[in-house]
Amino acid sequence: MLEKEYKCLVTKEQWQSFLCLMKKKYGILCPEETVHVNYYYDTADFALHRTGRTLRIRQTGGRLLLQHKLRRVTEGGVVCSEEHEKPATDISREIDGAAYGVSQLSLLGSLQTRRFRFCPLPGVRVDLDQNVYLGRTDYEIEIEFEGESPDGLLALCPDRLPLPGQGLGKYSRFLAQYKAGHYYTTYPNAG
């Protein structure tokens, strides 16, 4: 699957303000927000990240998916990634990396996302994410779309918000914290 999206990091106040604006203007399609946890894997020398790839197990409720993302291109603030996923049975401490061209992949830690999703235009999803990882909390807006970027897409962001494209992806931000020495040492349900 090809994923196309704009991303921008915002302050907590901007996130709350935009959430209120979106609730008033469009309403929430999901009766409650969703929460998912990404468990990130890489080699000791971060070979996947260096080649624009992310390997994670995403847990949403009791469902586990092994997801592999390959960043294809970033152009005009749009991040295009190829994403593949399959069911996972557990959250392992290590994964055989042969399918990804590396030897062994180790669990580095997790990032929890609280997400509100809106669908303001056909084929467009706006996700307001609160992310908690390695002792840090950040706030992000992702605008994902199918096909070409629809007219009016950037008009969804009020003038007081940064233009999309101003932020790194979740795994890159997680890894910056990890490399700074903020390790997550207990892994729930990891075998």
Side-chain angles (χ1 to χ4, degrees):
M1 168 177 82
L2 186 63
E3 179 182 82
K4 295 180 181 180
E5 62 188 352
Y6 291 103
K7 298 173 181 272
C8 64
L9 288 174
V10 294
T11 66
K12 179 179 182 178
E13 292 75 21
Q14 289 171 319
W15 185 84
Q16 289 172 330
S17 175
F18 194 53
L19 178 61
C20 288
L21 176 76
M22 294 295 282
K23 281 182 177 180
K24 286 178 187 172
K25 192 168 183 178
Y26 300 109
I28 295 180
L29 295 181
C30 303
E32 296 179 15
E33 73 266 21
T34 59
V35 175
H36 61 258
V37 180
N38 292 330
Y39 296 90
Y40 292 114
Y41 293 83
D42 212 328
T43 62
D45 64 351
F46 312 108
L48 293 182
H49 187 257
R50 285 193 331 256
T51 55
R53 297 181 289 166
T54 300
L55 187 70
R56 66 186 180 205
I57 292 179
R58 175 169 283 178
Q59 179 179 19
T60 306
R63 185 175 181 211
L64 298 174
L65 290 173
L66 177 64
Q67 300 176 322
H68 178 240
K69 288 180 78 167
L70 173 60
R71 182 176 285 202
R72 287 289 184 199
V73 66
T74 303
E75 187 175 300
V78 178
V79 177
C80 295
S81 301
E82 193 175 313
E83 186 172 315
H84 302 279
E85 64 183 30
K86 63 182 182 180
T89 56
D90 64 355
I91 301 162
S92 303
R93 289 185 187 271
E94 295 187 335
I95 293 176
D96 181 5
Y100 310 101
V102 296
S103 56
Q104 193 68 23
L105 296 160
S106 297
L107 176 60
L108 302 179
S110 65
L111 178 147
Q112 179 176 301
T113 298
R114 175 181 173 217
R115 171 172 285 173
F116 290 90
R117 174 168 282 172
F118 300 87
C119 298
L121 300 169
V124 175
R125 291 189 306 271
V126 177
D127 293 332
L128 282 75
D129 293 349
Q130 176 190 43
N131 305 298
V132 178
Y133 56 100
L134 304 176
R136 182 182 185 119
T137 301
D138 66 30
Y139 299 85
E140 175 181 30
I141 298 172
E142 295 183 353
I143 303 173
E144 190 173 328
F145 59 95
E146 300 167 2
E148 296 300 313
S149 179
D151 290 338
L153 186 64
L154 292 181
L156 295 172
C157 285
D159 292 337
R160 63 187 177 276
L161 293 180
L163 283 177
Q166 304 297 314
L168 296 172
K170 288 177 179 66
Y171 181 52
S172 292
R173 298 193 315 270
F174 169 89
L175 208 50
Q177 278 291 100
Y178 182 87
K179 288 178 177 179
H182 302 277
Y183 304 109
Y184 180 83
T185 54
T186 27
Y187 306 106
N189 305 318

